[in-house]
Amino acid sequence: MALCLTALFLFHPVDAQQNEELKEIQQQIKQKQEQIEKQLARAKQLQAQLKAAELNISRTAKELDKTRQELTSNRQQQSELTEEQERLLADVKNQQQALSSQFRSMYMSGDYDFAKMLFNLEDASKLERTFSYYQYLSKARKEQIDQFRALVAQFKQVSESLTQKQQELTVLEKTQQQQSTQLVQQQGLRKSTLQQIEQQIDSEAAQIEQLQINEQALLKAIEEAQQEAQQRPVNLTGLASLRGALLLPTQGRIRKMFGRIRQGQIRWKGVLFNGNTGAPVRAVHDGKILYADWLRGFGLMTVIDHGDGYMTLYGHNQALLKNVGDDVQSGETIALVGQSGGQSSPNLYFEIRHKGKPIDPAKWLKL
């Protein structure tokens, strides 16, 4: 009994010390968890600001892209109108010279006074023939004069159109400059928001939890889009026969990240294409737009349904050019390369999924 009591007194202080240490560790874990939760809550608020900033950038980028296309079209039309103007001017000058030559000949031969020539005819038998000749001549001259007038009117119309296009060009160039300035301002606001997010999520645990939240958001978005798409049956054949033959979604160096550790136990489920801001993003094959919106962690993203359980995902875009339900053809431009979703440099994030499971894009693209 004495031995047991001795043992109890010997070991009890040690157990008490361990309990205190355990409580302290648990308290530290609790505090760290609370800190992470606060960071994520603040990051969530900042993500909403980031979303607003990137959507504004998207709208401005789409408007800027449209303005650039209009500028290109306007300059092409001006070039065509200038060529037509030069051709018409040459025709007008030719007609003018031809008419001047005819009028000069008429005057020199004295046949400018038709009545005088009729009264001076010595042979009455020539009267009918001369009258028919002058009727024909008068008709031919009238046609030439009408053609000349039509050419002058057409030249005037083309010149007015050219002036109008030049005025439109001035307006378009001013609009482009305003849109570019607005885009720079919006990108500055986005950069500031992004820096705040990075300051909030400064621990690996918070970063991993953020990636898990983003992954769940993606799966949820795809699932909801698929459920909605089931109500719109389409005839698509899938990608099974196109392994190794799919078009590249954009130009740029591919970073084969699929399957690699991203952070913690989270692995990459797609690849990245380094690109230039505003470069076209193209559909790798025929399909129908399943999803087109901003998604946390992926930015402005488009998902295309190719049928038979195959879909492709295009993330980090600057602007989306297609809407949900739109049919797209292989190689058709569906978006513009950007850095939405909190990216520090322009790139395209690309995934291929079959029945919800990610598959390695490098084995399916024609590299």
Side-chain angles (χ1 to χ4, degrees), residues 86-222:
E86 291 172 353
R87 180 183 59 78
L88 286 170
L89 184 60
D91 289 347
V92 166
K93 286 181 178 178
N94 289 336
Q95 281 279 24
Q96 198 173 23
Q97 289 174 358
L99 285 170
S100 296
S101 178
Q102 284 191 18
F103 288 141
R104 191 180 300 108
S105 298
M106 287 169 57
Y107 182 82
M108 295 298 292
S109 63
D111 64 356
Y112 54 89
D113 189 343
F114 179 60
K116 180 181 176 182
M117 289 190 67
L118 286 178
F119 285 120
N120 288 337
L121 282 174
E122 297 178 359
D123 187 355
S125 63
K126 295 180 180 179
L127 178 63
E128 186 176 352
R129 189 170 62 214
T130 302
F131 187 74
S132 297
Y133 167 74
Y134 269 90
Q135 273 188 324
Y136 170 78
L137 192 63
S138 177
K139 183 181 178 182
R141 284 171 183 160
K142 183 179 181 302
E143 287 176 355
Q144 280 189 317
I145 291 170
D146 289 344
Q147 287 176 2
F148 177 75
R149 285 175 175 167
L151 280 172
V152 170
Q154 194 176 355
F155 176 77
K156 183 180 178 182
Q157 184 180 0
V158 168
S159 297
E160 288 174 352
S161 296
L162 187 57
T163 301
Q164 182 183 350
K165 289 299 176 184
Q166 289 168 342
Q167 292 171 347
E168 288 176 3
L169 179 63
T170 302
V171 173
L172 285 170
E173 286 174 339
K174 186 177 179 181
T175 301
Q176 184 187 40
Q177 186 177 4
Q178 291 172 343
Q179 289 170 341
S180 298
T181 302
Q182 186 180 10
L183 188 61
V184 170
Q185 292 172 345
Q186 291 170 342
Q187 287 171 337
L189 178 61
R190 173 193 176 273
K191 184 178 180 180
S192 174
T193 305
L194 192 56
Q195 287 172 345
Q196 292 180 60
I197 291 175
E198 289 172 351
Q199 289 169 2
Q200 287 297 319
I201 307 175
D202 59 355
S203 68
E204 186 177 12
Q207 290 170 4
I208 291 171
E209 193 160 343
Q210 182 81 352
L211 290 172
Q212 290 172 337
I213 291 171
N214 295 345
E215 176 69 12
Q216 290 304 312
L218 174 62
L219 294 175
K220 183 181 178 184
I222 291 174

Side-chain angles (χ1 to χ4, degrees), residues 35-71:
Q35 183 183 354
I36 290 173
E37 287 173 0
K38 286 180 182 178
Q39 288 177 341
L40 291 173
R42 175 60 180 151
K44 186 177 181 181
Q45 294 175 348
L46 291 169
Q47 285 283 353
Q49 293 179 22
L50 181 66
K51 176 181 179 180
E54 291 185 342
L55 286 174
N56 284 334
I57 288 173
S58 171
R59 280 189 288 270
T60 305
K62 283 177 73 172
E63 290 168 1
L64 186 57
D65 183 65
K66 183 181 177 183
T67 302
R68 285 172 180 154
Q69 290 179 18
E70 289 174 351
L71 278 168

